[in-house]
């Protein structure tokens, strides 16, 4: 398989994953973005190239910047982390006592595990997850996380998750 075929497949995988997270059909995505349903099907199945115009329309639909949409495409080769696969990984590595965020699970915001088994989440990915899954805007998602998640971390003990926040410079 050549590079372009792989890239085409990754675009399709990324679109399917984002559609699934947002709970929309292929038909609705095609209608909302102005891309023909058959063409959208071909894109998702790796049979069509995508113009920058379509990338921009898709990014807008999924409320992502074009660069974040491209990151989704780049990561499409890896199966998405699920709550179950995260727990399985932790158990396999002797971290069964790690605290995992479950409601919402934020599995798509996990960026690693510390040496002592603390699950590491990226704050911005947590916000994006709520925006996609629950239809919140940025401020609503940030407020939810700040109050319900960050506020609860101190009571979760020594195996509490770590939430990484970007430093603005």
């Amino acid at each position: 398989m050549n590079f372009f075929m792989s890239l085409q497949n990754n675009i399709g995988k990324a679109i399917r994953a984002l559609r699934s997270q947002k709970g929309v059909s292929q038909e609705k995505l095609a209608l909302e973005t102005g891309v023909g349903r058959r063409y959208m099907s071909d894109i998702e199945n790796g049979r069509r190239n995508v113009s920058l115009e379509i990338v921009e329309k898709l990014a807008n639909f999924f409320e992502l910047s074009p660069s974040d949409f491209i990151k989704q495409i780049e990561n499409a080769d890896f199966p998405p982390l699920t709550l179950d696969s995260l727990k399985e990984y932790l158990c396999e590595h002797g971290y069964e006592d790690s605290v995992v965020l479950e409601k919402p699970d934020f599995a798509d915001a996990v960026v690693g595990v510390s040496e002592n088994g603390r699950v590491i989440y990226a704050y911005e990915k947590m916000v994006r997850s709520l925006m996609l899954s629950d239809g919140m805007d940025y401020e609503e998602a940030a407020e939810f996380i700040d109050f319900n998640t960050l506020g609860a971390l101190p009571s979760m003990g020594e195996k509490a998750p770590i939430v990484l926040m970007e430093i603005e410079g």
Side-chain angles (χ1 to χ4, degrees), residues 85-156:
S85 63
L86 173 60
K87 287 179 176 180
E88 184 177 320
Y89 173 87
L90 293 168
C91 286
E92 287 173 0
H93 290 83
Y95 302 130
E96 49 279 325
D97 59 343
S98 295
V99 177
V100 177
L101 301 175
E102 294 194 35
K103 292 185 181 174
D105 69 35
F106 295 118
D108 54 346
V110 172
V111 293
V113 178
S114 72
E115 262 183 31
N116 64 347
R118 293 175 68 189
V119 180
I120 304 169
Y121 295 86
Y123 182 84
E124 290 299 321
K125 288 185 176 189
M126 293 170 72
V127 170
R128 184 75 54 202
S129 177
L130 285 178
M131 290 171 67
L132 287 172
S133 66
D134 293 6
M136 295 182 185
D137 65 26
Y138 186 91
E139 291 77 22
E140 291 170 324
E143 184 177 314
F144 178 91
I145 292 165
D146 293 348
F147 182 76
N148 294 298
T149 305
L150 298 182
L153 288 177
S155 66
M156 293 183 193

Side-chain angles (χ1 to χ4, degrees), residues 2-3 5 10 14 71 80 108 149-150:
N2 67 34
F3 172 77
M5 188 59 182
N10 283 3
K71 287 177 190 170
D108 54 346
T149 305
L150 298 182

